[in-house]
Amino acid sequence: MPDKFKDRIAAYTARVDSGLERALPAADTSPMRLHDAMRYSVFNGGKRVRPLLVYAAGECLRVEPRLLDAPAVAIELIHAFSLVHDDLPAMDNDDLRRGKPTVHKQYDEATAILAADALQPLAFSVLAKLDGAPSGAPIQLVQLITDACGSTGMTGGQSIDLDAEGKTLTAEELEHMYLLKTGALIHASILSACLLTENLPTADFDALNSFGRDIGIAFQIKDDILDVVGDTDVIGKPAGSDESLNKATYPALFGIEASRDRCDELLARALGSLARFGDSAAPLQWLAQFIVERGR
Ligand code: GRG
């Protein structure tokens, strides 16, 4: 294995892609249009940041990659589901995602809703098949990921986000929304590796817990910044769409400079949380830096 995490990304991406391939029904399985749409939503150029966080947190805690495959695949399936719903006319009404037509544009609205509906149970089916994990870990993973998806996680965050359009939120309210809408799944990616570690010291759990929260909020602030300063061709979705939807975002409420400063502050705090792990945290450090510095 190459010794720099950056050079292991292709191998980890291939690993999660083959797990996704195994989990998803073939496109020629009936009902074919539904399965084709599910596959389109998953194999469509995503960066795979959440699975990479699962594997990087696993490297930090020395968890075997074969145990991390199930949460990595399950979380990416949930992420794909959330993007399909997020793009629907009833939500952000986007035509472009990852530089390609969104699922409801490529197929139709009903197929997009059904494809997302089917991705969610598939994620939990993958978790149910996890073998060889410490006793109790599979059910704890299910609990972790259901909480991250539910009304006090991603779905709740999306509800607050839709409700906040055209409103002024405090920085605290905004970050609470980000922690739920985007942060919950990123945080769960980190905690998945914790649940697969036997006898993890509380101080190690607390440090990774803080890291996951900070980096999840920073991810959404960076996403907001890219929506303002990015090019549609690079970010793969229409630049400026937050402004046209009158979204409550960090740049809209506090400006670009304050948004960059807040991202840097969160990154510094997240990196500080990793200090106790020494060199084994290098992959998480690399990903945290990537999240804040990425161009798409
Ligand atoms: C899925 C349980 C569940 C509920 C649906 C629609 C919804 C509720 C939530 C939407 C949450 C959402 C879309 C948050 C935005 C997160 C975000 C910044 C996504 C972009 O992530 P990237 O950049 O995407 O990792 P790629 O394309 O690389 O995969």
Side-chain angles (χ1 to χ4, degrees), residues 92-130:
D92 285 358
N93 194 18
D94 274 321
D95 293 354
L96 201 65
R97 162 82 58 190
R98 300 166 173 164
K100 302 193 182 88
T102 47
V103 180
H104 65 276
K105 280 282 158 190
Q106 180 74 8
Y107 298 84
D108 55 75
E109 219 176 305
T111 303
I113 293 169
L114 292 173
D117 285 348
L119 288 170
Q120 188 175 44
L122 186 60
F124 294 104
S125 158
V126 168
L127 285 176
K129 291 183 191 122
L130 172 58

PDB file of all heavy atoms in Angstrom, residues 92-130:
ATOM      1  N   ASP A  92     -34.982  21.654  -3.806  1.00  0.00           N
ATOM      2  CA  ASP A  92     -34.178  22.733  -4.402  1.00  0.00           C
ATOM      3  C   ASP A  92     -34.396  22.893  -5.907  1.00  0.00           C
ATOM      4  O   ASP A  92     -33.857  23.816  -6.518  1.00  0.00           O
ATOM      5  CB  ASP A  92     -32.688  22.516  -4.100  1.00  0.00           C
ATOM      6  CG  ASP A  92     -32.356  22.851  -2.650  1.00  0.00           C
ATOM      7  OD1 ASP A  92     -33.281  23.283  -1.926  1.00  0.00           O
ATOM      8  OD2 ASP A  92     -31.198  22.689  -2.239  1.00  0.00           O
ATOM      9  N   ASN A  93     -35.126  21.969  -6.503  1.00  0.00           N
ATOM     10  CA  ASN A  93     -35.501  22.067  -7.923  1.00  0.00           C
ATOM     11  C   ASN A  93     -34.286  22.300  -8.830  1.00  0.00           C
ATOM     12  O   ASN A  93     -34.250  23.288  -9.568  1.00  0.00           O
ATOM     13  CB  ASN A  93     -36.549  23.176  -8.103  1.00  0.00           C
ATOM     14  CG  ASN A  93     -37.222  23.091  -9.465  1.00  0.00           C
ATOM     15  OD1 ASN A  93     -37.167  22.053 -10.123  1.00  0.00           O
ATOM     16  ND2 ASN A  93     -37.842  24.181  -9.892  1.00  0.00           N
ATOM     17  N   ASP A  94     -33.304  21.402  -8.729  1.00  0.00           N
ATOM     18  CA  ASP A  94     -32.088  21.541  -9.541  1.00  0.00           C
ATOM     19  C   ASP A  94     -32.117  20.601 -10.737  1.00  0.00           C
ATOM     20  O   ASP A  94     -32.571  19.456 -10.635  1.00  0.00           O
ATOM     21  CB  ASP A  94     -30.846  21.217  -8.683  1.00  0.00           C
ATOM     22  CG  ASP A  94     -30.362  22.430  -7.913  1.00  0.00           C
ATOM     23  OD1 ASP A  94     -30.401  23.542  -8.480  1.00  0.00           O
ATOM     24  OD2 ASP A  94     -29.971  22.270  -6.743  1.00  0.00           O
ATOM     25  N   ASP A  95     -31.589  21.093 -11.852  1.00  0.00           N
ATOM     26  CA  ASP A  95     -31.554  20.281 -13.084  1.00  0.00           C
ATOM     27  C   ASP A  95     -30.211  19.590 -13.281  1.00  0.00           C
ATOM     28  O   ASP A  95     -30.086  18.706 -14.133  1.00  0.00           O
ATOM     29  CB  ASP A  95     -31.785  21.183 -14.315  1.00  0.00           C
ATOM     30  CG  ASP A  95     -33.187  21.741 -14.337  1.00  0.00           C
ATOM     31  OD1 ASP A  95     -34.000  21.328 -13.468  1.00  0.00           O
ATOM     32  OD2 ASP A  95     -33.482  22.591 -15.203  1.00  0.00           O
ATOM     33  N   LEU A  96     -29.201  20.056 -12.567  1.00  0.00           N
ATOM     34  CA  LEU A  96     -27.840  19.591 -12.806  1.00  0.00           C
ATOM     35  C   LEU A  96     -27.203  19.144 -11.494  1.00  0.00           C
ATOM     36  O   LEU A  96     -27.289  19.849 -10.490  1.00  0.00           O
ATOM     37  CB  LEU A  96     -27.038  20.766 -13.377  1.00  0.00           C
ATOM     38  CG  LEU A  96     -25.771  20.458 -14.143  1.00  0.00           C
ATOM     39  CD1 LEU A  96     -26.092  19.691 -15.422  1.00  0.00           C
ATOM     40  CD2 LEU A  96     -25.044  21.770 -14.495  1.00  0.00           C
ATOM     41  N   ARG A  97     -26.560  17.986 -11.533  1.00  0.00           N
ATOM     42  CA  ARG A  97     -25.829  17.479 -10.365  1.00  0.00           C
ATOM     43  C   ARG A  97     -24.617  16.745 -10.898  1.00  0.00           C
ATOM     44  O   ARG A  97     -24.729  15.920 -11.801  1.00  0.00           O
ATOM     45  CB  ARG A  97     -26.768  16.566  -9.561  1.00  0.00           C
ATOM     46  CG  ARG A  97     -26.175  15.638  -8.583  1.00  0.00           C
ATOM     47  CD  ARG A  97     -25.840  16.226  -7.248  1.00  0.00           C
ATOM     48  NE  ARG A  97     -26.925  16.839  -6.520  1.00  0.00           N
ATOM     49  CZ  ARG A  97     -26.721  17.568  -5.407  1.00  0.00           C
ATOM     50  NH1 ARG A  97     -25.489  17.760  -4.944  1.00  0.00           N
ATOM     51  NH2 ARG A  97     -27.737  18.119  -4.782  1.00  0.00           N
ATOM     52  N   ARG A  98     -23.454  17.025 -10.378  1.00  0.00           N
ATOM     53  CA  ARG A  98     -22.209  16.381 -10.835  1.00  0.00           C
ATOM     54  C   ARG A  98     -22.036  16.541 -12.352  1.00  0.00           C
ATOM     55  O   ARG A  98     -21.582  15.629 -13.047  1.00  0.00           O
ATOM     56  CB  ARG A  98     -22.186  14.900 -10.448  1.00  0.00           C
ATOM     57  CG  ARG A  98     -22.278  14.666  -8.930  1.00  0.00           C
ATOM     58  CD  ARG A  98     -22.596  13.234  -8.595  1.00  0.00           C
ATOM     59  NE  ARG A  98     -22.519  12.959  -7.165  1.00  0.00           N
ATOM     60  CZ  ARG A  98     -23.040  11.866  -6.601  1.00  0.00           C
ATOM     61  NH1 ARG A  98     -23.668  10.975  -7.321  1.00  0.00           N
ATOM     62  NH2 ARG A  98     -22.917  11.674  -5.310  1.00  0.00           N
ATOM     63  N   GLY A  99     -22.489  17.684 -12.855  1.00  0.00           N
ATOM     64  CA  GLY A  99     -22.331  17.993 -14.281  1.00  0.00           C
ATOM     65  C   GLY A  99     -23.278  17.223 -15.197  1.00  0.00           C
ATOM     66  O   GLY A  99     -23.133  17.284 -16.414  1.00  0.00           O
ATOM     67  N   LYS A 100     -24.238  16.528 -14.624  1.00  0.00           N
ATOM     68  CA  LYS A 100     -25.172  15.725 -15.449  1.00  0.00           C
ATOM     69  C   LYS A 100     -26.604  16.027 -15.018  1.00  0.00           C
ATOM     70  O   LYS A 100     -26.826  16.574 -13.921  1.00  0.00           O
ATOM     71  CB  LYS A 100     -24.897  14.232 -15.260  1.00  0.00           C
ATOM     72  CG  LYS A 100     -23.475  13.837 -15.600  1.00  0.00           C
ATOM     73  CD  LYS A 100     -23.311  12.335 -15.700  1.00  0.00           C
ATOM     74  CE  LYS A 100     -21.861  11.974 -15.983  1.00  0.00           C
ATOM     75  NZ  LYS A 100     -21.037  11.817 -14.791  1.00  0.00           N
ATOM     76  N   PRO A 101     -27.592  15.670 -15.855  1.00  0.00           N
ATOM     77  CA  PRO A 101     -28.977  15.924 -15.439  1.00  0.00           C
ATOM     78  C   PRO A 101     -29.282  15.223 -14.111  1.00  0.00           C
ATOM     79  O   PRO A 101     -28.806  14.106 -13.877  1.00  0.00           O
ATOM     80  CB  PRO A 101     -29.813  15.315 -16.580  1.00  0.00           C
ATOM     81  CG  PRO A 101     -28.886  15.224 -17.738  1.00  0.00           C
ATOM     82  CD  PRO A 101     -27.501  15.047 -17.178  1.00  0.00           C
ATOM     83  N   THR A 102     -30.041  15.911 -13.264  1.00  0.00           N
ATOM     84  CA  THR A 102     -30.449  15.284 -11.993  1.00  0.00           C
ATOM     85  C   THR A 102     -31.365  14.093 -12.303  1.00  0.00           C
ATOM     86  O   THR A 102     -31.872  13.951 -13.416  1.00  0.00           O
ATOM     87  CB  THR A 102     -31.156  16.319 -11.101  1.00  0.00           C
ATOM     88  OG1 THR A 102     -32.123  17.009 -11.899  1.00  0.00           O
ATOM     89  CG2 THR A 102     -30.191  17.325 -10.529  1.00  0.00           C
ATOM     90  N   VAL A 103     -31.588  13.262 -11.312  1.00  0.00           N
ATOM     91  CA  VAL A 103     -32.294  11.991 -11.580  1.00  0.00           C
ATOM     92  C   VAL A 103     -33.714  12.249 -12.104  1.00  0.00           C
ATOM     93  O   VAL A 103     -34.163  11.601 -13.049  1.00  0.00           O
ATOM     94  CB  VAL A 103     -32.298  11.092 -10.312  1.00  0.00           C
ATOM     95  CG1 VAL A 103     -33.022   9.781 -10.591  1.00  0.00           C
ATOM     96  CG2 VAL A 103     -30.868  10.801  -9.879  1.00  0.00           C
ATOM     97  N   HIS A 104     -34.423  13.243 -11.533  1.00  0.00           N
ATOM     98  CA  HIS A 104     -35.801  13.477 -12.023  1.00  0.00           C
ATOM     99  C   HIS A 104     -35.802  14.066 -13.428  1.00  0.00           C
ATOM    100  O   HIS A 104     -36.798  13.947 -14.143  1.00  0.00           O
ATOM    101  CB  HIS A 104     -36.600  14.359 -11.052  1.00  0.00           C
ATOM    102  CG  HIS A 104     -36.088  15.758 -10.905  1.00  0.00           C
ATOM    103  ND1 HIS A 104     -35.075  16.087 -10.051  1.00  0.00           N
ATOM    104  CD2 HIS A 104     -36.445  16.907 -11.521  1.00  0.00           C
ATOM    105  CE1 HIS A 104     -34.831  17.384 -10.132  1.00  0.00           C
ATOM    106  NE2 HIS A 104     -35.646  17.911 -11.024  1.00  0.00           N
ATOM    107  N   LYS A 105     -34.683  14.688 -13.841  1.00  0.00           N
ATOM    108  CA  LYS A 105     -34.594  15.218 -15.218  1.00  0.00           C
ATOM    109  C   LYS A 105     -34.244  14.083 -16.188  1.00  0.00           C
ATOM    110  O   LYS A 105     -34.762  14.005 -17.297  1.00  0.00           O
ATOM    111  CB  LYS A 105     -33.513  16.302 -15.291  1.00  0.00           C
ATOM    112  CG  LYS A 105     -33.987  17.631 -14.771  1.00  0.00           C
ATOM    113  CD  LYS A 105     -34.845  18.309 -15.823  1.00  0.00           C
ATOM    114  CE  LYS A 105     -35.757  19.337 -15.203  1.00  0.00           C
ATOM    115  NZ  LYS A 105     -36.760  19.834 -16.148  1.00  0.00           N
ATOM    116  N   GLN A 106     -33.338  13.217 -15.768  1.00  0.00           N
ATOM    117  CA  GLN A 106     -32.884  12.121 -16.634  1.00  0.00           C
ATOM    118  C   GLN A 106     -33.992  11.073 -16.821  1.00  0.00           C
ATOM    119  O   GLN A 106     -34.135  10.507 -17.893  1.00  0.00           O
ATOM    120  CB  GLN A 106     -31.640  11.471 -15.995  1.00  0.00           C
ATOM    121  CG  GLN A 106     -31.053  10.320 -16.764  1.00  0.00           C
ATOM    122  CD  GLN A 106     -30.311  10.788 -18.016  1.00  0.00           C
ATOM    123  OE1 GLN A 106     -30.117  11.991 -18.235  1.00  0.00           O
ATOM    124  NE2 GLN A 106     -29.924   9.846 -18.850  1.00  0.00           N
ATOM    125  N   TYR A 107     -34.766  10.845 -15.744  1.00  0.00           N
ATOM    126  CA  TYR A 107     -35.851   9.846 -15.795  1.00  0.00           C
ATOM    127  C   TYR A 107     -37.169  10.623 -15.690  1.00  0.00           C
ATOM    128  O   TYR A 107     -37.590  11.230 -16.667  1.00  0.00           O
ATOM    129  CB  TYR A 107     -35.669   8.813 -14.663  1.00  0.00           C
ATOM    130  CG  TYR A 107     -34.360   8.046 -14.813  1.00  0.00           C
ATOM    131  CD1 TYR A 107     -33.161   8.563 -14.327  1.00  0.00           C
ATOM    132  CD2 TYR A 107     -34.313   6.842 -15.498  1.00  0.00           C
ATOM    133  CE1 TYR A 107     -31.962   7.892 -14.502  1.00  0.00           C
ATOM    134  CE2 TYR A 107     -33.105   6.155 -15.670  1.00  0.00           C
ATOM    135  CZ  TYR A 107     -31.937   6.692 -15.168  1.00  0.00           C
ATOM    136  OH  TYR A 107     -30.742   6.031 -15.347  1.00  0.00           O
ATOM    137  N   ASP A 108     -37.776  10.665 -14.527  1.00  0.00           N
ATOM    138  CA  ASP A 108     -38.979  11.463 -14.276  1.00  0.00           C
ATOM    139  C   ASP A 108     -39.115  11.558 -12.764  1.00  0.00           C
ATOM    140  O   ASP A 108     -38.414  10.851 -12.027  1.00  0.00           O
ATOM    141  CB  ASP A 108     -40.229  10.826 -14.927  1.00  0.00           C
ATOM    142  CG  ASP A 108     -40.401   9.396 -14.473  1.00  0.00           C
ATOM    143  OD1 ASP A 108     -40.827   9.197 -13.322  1.00  0.00           O
ATOM    144  OD2 ASP A 108     -40.065   8.465 -15.252  1.00  0.00           O
ATOM    145  N   GLU A 109     -40.014  12.406 -12.317  1.00  0.00           N
ATOM    146  CA  GLU A 109     -40.077  12.693 -10.890  1.00  0.00           C
ATOM    147  C   GLU A 109     -40.444  11.442 -10.074  1.00  0.00           C
ATOM    148  O   GLU A 109     -39.843  11.168  -9.029  1.00  0.00           O
ATOM    149  CB  GLU A 109     -41.114  13.787 -10.667  1.00  0.00           C
ATOM    150  CG  GLU A 109     -40.689  14.767  -9.618  1.00  0.00           C
ATOM    151  CD  GLU A 109     -41.689  15.886  -9.491  1.00  0.00           C
ATOM    152  OE1 GLU A 109     -41.991  16.552 -10.509  1.00  0.00           O
ATOM    153  OE2 GLU A 109     -42.180  16.091  -8.365  1.00  0.00           O
ATOM    154  N   ALA A 110     -41.428  10.695 -10.553  1.00  0.00           N
ATOM    155  CA  ALA A 110     -41.863   9.512  -9.802  1.00  0.00           C
ATOM    156  C   ALA A 110     -40.719   8.502  -9.693  1.00  0.00           C
ATOM    157  O   ALA A 110     -40.479   7.928  -8.621  1.00  0.00           O
ATOM    158  CB  ALA A 110     -43.072   8.875 -10.478  1.00  0.00           C
ATOM    159  N   THR A 111     -39.990   8.312 -10.787  1.00  0.00           N
ATOM    160  CA  THR A 111     -38.873   7.353 -10.755  1.00  0.00           C
ATOM    161  C   THR A 111     -37.796   7.834  -9.782  1.00  0.00           C
ATOM    162  O   THR A 111     -37.203   7.033  -9.042  1.00  0.00           O
ATOM    163  CB  THR A 111     -38.284   7.150 -12.174  1.00  0.00           C
ATOM    164  OG1 THR A 111     -39.339   6.721 -13.031  1.00  0.00           O
ATOM    165  CG2 THR A 111     -37.165   6.136 -12.192  1.00  0.00           C
ATOM    166  N   ALA A 112     -37.541   9.147  -9.768  1.00  0.00           N
ATOM    167  CA  ALA A 112     -36.527   9.691  -8.845  1.00  0.00           C
ATOM    168  C   ALA A 112     -36.945   9.432  -7.398  1.00  0.00           C
ATOM    169  O   ALA A 112     -36.131   8.987  -6.577  1.00  0.00           O
ATOM    170  CB  ALA A 112     -36.329  11.180  -9.094  1.00  0.00           C
ATOM    171  N   ILE A 113     -38.209   9.682  -7.084  1.00  0.00           N
ATOM    172  CA  ILE A 113     -38.676   9.465  -5.698  1.00  0.00           C
ATOM    173  C   ILE A 113     -38.530   7.981  -5.341  1.00  0.00           C
ATOM    174  O   ILE A 113     -38.031   7.625  -4.272  1.00  0.00           O
ATOM    175  CB  ILE A 113     -40.138   9.946  -5.541  1.00  0.00           C
ATOM    176  CG1 ILE A 113     -40.206  11.470  -5.685  1.00  0.00           C
ATOM    177  CG2 ILE A 113     -40.724   9.505  -4.193  1.00  0.00           C
ATOM    178  CD1 ILE A 113     -41.610  12.041  -5.802  1.00  0.00           C
ATOM    179  N   LEU A 114     -38.926   7.116  -6.258  1.00  0.00           N
ATOM    180  CA  LEU A 114     -38.867   5.677  -5.972  1.00  0.00           C
ATOM    181  C   LEU A 114     -37.421   5.178  -5.878  1.00  0.00           C
ATOM    182  O   LEU A 114     -37.108   4.322  -5.031  1.00  0.00           O
ATOM    183  CB  LEU A 114     -39.633   4.889  -7.049  1.00  0.00           C
ATOM    184  CG  LEU A 114     -41.154   5.113  -7.038  1.00  0.00           C
ATOM    185  CD1 LEU A 114     -41.801   4.422  -8.238  1.00  0.00           C
ATOM    186  CD2 LEU A 114     -41.782   4.618  -5.742  1.00  0.00           C
ATOM    187  N   ALA A 115     -36.551   5.711  -6.733  1.00  0.00           N
ATOM    188  CA  ALA A 115     -35.136   5.293  -6.676  1.00  0.00           C
ATOM    189  C   ALA A 115     -34.566   5.645  -5.305  1.00  0.00           C
ATOM    190  O   ALA A 115     -33.894   4.828  -4.663  1.00  0.00           O
ATOM    191  CB  ALA A 115     -34.339   5.965  -7.792  1.00  0.00           C
ATOM    192  N   ALA A 116     -34.856   6.856  -4.837  1.00  0.00           N
ATOM    193  CA  ALA A 116     -34.374   7.266  -3.515  1.00  0.00           C
ATOM    194  C   ALA A 116     -35.006   6.396  -2.430  1.00  0.00           C
ATOM    195  O   ALA A 116     -34.319   5.937  -1.507  1.00  0.00           O
ATOM    196  CB  ALA A 116     -34.685   8.744  -3.277  1.00  0.00           C
ATOM    197  N   ASP A 117     -36.297   6.132  -2.551  1.00  0.00           N
ATOM    198  CA  ASP A 117     -36.992   5.270  -1.572  1.00  0.00           C
ATOM    199  C   ASP A 117     -36.305   3.912  -1.466  1.00  0.00           C
ATOM    200  O   ASP A 117     -36.243   3.333  -0.385  1.00  0.00           O
ATOM    201  CB  ASP A 117     -38.446   5.019  -2.012  1.00  0.00           C
ATOM    202  CG  ASP A 117     -39.335   6.233  -1.791  1.00  0.00           C
ATOM    203  OD1 ASP A 117     -38.907   7.168  -1.096  1.00  0.00           O
ATOM    204  OD2 ASP A 117     -40.465   6.232  -2.335  1.00  0.00           O
ATOM    205  N   ALA A 118     -35.830   3.399  -2.597  1.00  0.00           N
ATOM    206  CA  ALA A 118     -35.224   2.061  -2.592  1.00  0.00           C
ATOM    207  C   ALA A 118     -33.763   2.092  -2.139  1.00  0.00           C
ATOM    208  O   ALA A 118     -33.236   1.071  -1.677  1.00  0.00           O
ATOM    209  CB  ALA A 118     -35.329   1.447  -3.984  1.00  0.00           C
ATOM    210  N   LEU A 119     -33.091   3.240  -2.271  1.00  0.00           N
ATOM    211  CA  LEU A 119     -31.686   3.317  -1.831  1.00  0.00           C
ATOM    212  C   LEU A 119     -31.593   3.238  -0.305  1.00  0.00           C
ATOM    213  O   LEU A 119     -30.653   2.663   0.235  1.00  0.00           O
ATOM    214  CB  LEU A 119     -31.038   4.627  -2.314  1.00  0.00           C
ATOM    215  CG  LEU A 119     -30.752   4.716  -3.811  1.00  0.00           C
ATOM    216  CD1 LEU A 119     -30.354   6.141  -4.196  1.00  0.00           C
ATOM    217  CD2 LEU A 119     -29.651   3.744  -4.230  1.00  0.00           C
ATOM    218  N   GLN A 120     -32.560   3.807   0.380  1.00  0.00           N
ATOM    219  CA  GLN A 120     -32.476   3.846   1.843  1.00  0.00           C
ATOM    220  C   GLN A 120     -32.535   2.448   2.474  1.00  0.00           C
ATOM    221  O   GLN A 120     -31.631   2.080   3.227  1.00  0.00           O
ATOM    222  CB  GLN A 120     -33.538   4.765   2.428  1.00  0.00           C
ATOM    223  CG  GLN A 120     -33.319   4.968   3.923  1.00  0.00           C
ATOM    224  CD  GLN A 120     -34.269   5.975   4.520  1.00  0.00           C
ATOM    225  OE1 GLN A 120     -35.451   5.962   4.222  1.00  0.00           O
ATOM    226  NE2 GLN A 120     -33.775   6.845   5.356  1.00  0.00           N
ATOM    227  N   PRO A 121     -33.559   1.620   2.179  1.00  0.00           N
ATOM    228  CA  PRO A 121     -33.549   0.275   2.772  1.00  0.00           C
ATOM    229  C   PRO A 121     -32.348  -0.560   2.331  1.00  0.00           C
ATOM    230  O   PRO A 121     -31.861  -1.395   3.097  1.00  0.00           O
ATOM    231  CB  PRO A 121     -34.874  -0.350   2.305  1.00  0.00           C
ATOM    232  CG  PRO A 121     -35.384   0.523   1.218  1.00  0.00           C
ATOM    233  CD  PRO A 121     -34.775   1.870   1.393  1.00  0.00           C
ATOM    234  N   LEU A 122     -31.867  -0.308   1.115  1.00  0.00           N
ATOM    235  CA  LEU A 122     -30.691  -1.051   0.647  1.00  0.00           C
ATOM    236  C   LEU A 122     -29.496  -0.778   1.572  1.00  0.00           C
ATOM    237  O   LEU A 122     -28.714  -1.686   1.886  1.00  0.00           O
ATOM    238  CB  LEU A 122     -30.373  -0.639  -0.800  1.00  0.00           C
ATOM    239  CG  LEU A 122     -29.275  -1.425  -1.491  1.00  0.00           C
ATOM    240  CD1 LEU A 122     -29.621  -2.907  -1.564  1.00  0.00           C
ATOM    241  CD2 LEU A 122     -29.031  -0.876  -2.906  1.00  0.00           C
ATOM    242  N   ALA A 123     -29.373   0.461   2.020  1.00  0.00           N
ATOM    243  CA  ALA A 123     -28.268   0.818   2.930  1.00  0.00           C
ATOM    244  C   ALA A 123     -28.338  -0.041   4.196  1.00  0.00           C
ATOM    245  O   ALA A 123     -27.321  -0.568   4.662  1.00  0.00           O
ATOM    246  CB  ALA A 123     -28.350   2.301   3.291  1.00  0.00           C
ATOM    247  N   PHE A 124     -29.538  -0.204   4.723  1.00  0.00           N
ATOM    248  CA  PHE A 124     -29.653  -0.958   5.984  1.00  0.00           C
ATOM    249  C   PHE A 124     -29.505  -2.455   5.752  1.00  0.00           C
ATOM    250  O   PHE A 124     -29.031  -3.179   6.629  1.00  0.00           O
ATOM    251  CB  PHE A 124     -30.939  -0.557   6.721  1.00  0.00           C
ATOM    252  CG  PHE A 124     -30.836   0.879   7.150  1.00  0.00           C
ATOM    253  CD1 PHE A 124     -31.505   1.890   6.480  1.00  0.00           C
ATOM    254  CD2 PHE A 124     -29.960   1.232   8.171  1.00  0.00           C
ATOM    255  CE1 PHE A 124     -31.335   3.222   6.834  1.00  0.00           C
ATOM    256  CE2 PHE A 124     -29.780   2.563   8.537  1.00  0.00           C
ATOM    257  CZ  PHE A 124     -30.469   3.558   7.871  1.00  0.00           C
ATOM    258  N   SER A 125     -29.856  -2.888   4.552  1.00  0.00           N
ATOM    259  CA  SER A 125     -29.646  -4.298   4.216  1.00  0.00           C
ATOM    260  C   SER A 125     -28.139  -4.597   4.169  1.00  0.00           C
ATOM    261  O   SER A 125     -27.677  -5.647   4.630  1.00  0.00           O
ATOM    262  CB  SER A 125     -30.351  -4.579   2.883  1.00  0.00           C
ATOM    263  OG  SER A 125     -29.817  -5.679   2.266  1.00  0.00           O
ATOM    264  N   VAL A 126     -27.366  -3.645   3.643  1.00  0.00           N
ATOM    265  CA  VAL A 126     -25.898  -3.820   3.611  1.00  0.00           C
ATOM    266  C   VAL A 126     -25.360  -3.921   5.045  1.00  0.00           C
ATOM    267  O   VAL A 126     -24.531  -4.783   5.357  1.00  0.00           O
ATOM    268  CB  VAL A 126     -25.234  -2.644   2.850  1.00  0.00           C
ATOM    269  CG1 VAL A 126     -23.721  -2.636   3.042  1.00  0.00           C
ATOM    270  CG2 VAL A 126     -25.588  -2.694   1.365  1.00  0.00           C
ATOM    271  N   LEU A 127     -25.855  -3.064   5.929  1.00  0.00           N
ATOM    272  CA  LEU A 127     -25.380  -3.095   7.324  1.00  0.00           C
ATOM    273  C   LEU A 127     -25.751  -4.415   8.008  1.00  0.00           C
ATOM    274  O   LEU A 127     -24.975  -4.950   8.795  1.00  0.00           O
ATOM    275  CB  LEU A 127     -25.976  -1.929   8.121  1.00  0.00           C
ATOM    276  CG  LEU A 127     -25.378  -0.551   7.845  1.00  0.00           C
ATOM    277  CD1 LEU A 127     -26.131   0.504   8.644  1.00  0.00           C
ATOM    278  CD2 LEU A 127     -23.882  -0.517   8.185  1.00  0.00           C
ATOM    279  N   ALA A 128     -26.941  -4.907   7.675  1.00  0.00           N
ATOM    280  CA  ALA A 128     -27.413  -6.150   8.316  1.00  0.00           C
ATOM    281  C   ALA A 128     -26.525  -7.332   7.944  1.00  0.00           C
ATOM    282  O   ALA A 128     -26.467  -8.325   8.672  1.00  0.00           O
ATOM    283  CB  ALA A 128     -28.855  -6.426   7.915  1.00  0.00           C
ATOM    284  N   LYS A 129     -25.821  -7.223   6.810  1.00  0.00           N
ATOM    285  CA  LYS A 129     -24.976  -8.353   6.361  1.00  0.00           C
ATOM    286  C   LYS A 129     -23.551  -8.263   6.902  1.00  0.00           C
ATOM    287  O   LYS A 129     -22.712  -9.100   6.586  1.00  0.00           O
ATOM    288  CB  LYS A 129     -24.941  -8.391   4.828  1.00  0.00           C
ATOM    289  CG  LYS A 129     -26.297  -8.781   4.250  1.00  0.00           C
ATOM    290  CD  LYS A 129     -26.226  -8.884   2.725  1.00  0.00           C
ATOM    291  CE  LYS A 129     -27.619  -9.012   2.148  1.00  0.00           C
ATOM    292  NZ  LYS A 129     -27.961  -7.970   1.184  1.00  0.00           N
ATOM    293  N   LEU A 130     -23.266  -7.219   7.702  1.00  0.00           N
ATOM    294  CA  LEU A 130     -21.903  -7.059   8.228  1.00  0.00           C
ATOM    295  C   LEU A 130     -21.544  -8.250   9.115  1.00  0.00           C
ATOM    296  O   LEU A 130     -22.267  -8.585  10.049  1.00  0.00           O
ATOM    297  CB  LEU A 130     -21.813  -5.740   9.019  1.00  0.00           C
ATOM    298  CG  LEU A 130     -20.533  -5.470   9.802  1.00  0.00           C
ATOM    299  CD1 LEU A 130     -19.315  -5.495   8.889  1.00  0.00           C
ATOM    300  CD2 LEU A 130     -20.616  -4.142  10.520  1.00  0.00           C
TER     301      LEU A 130
END
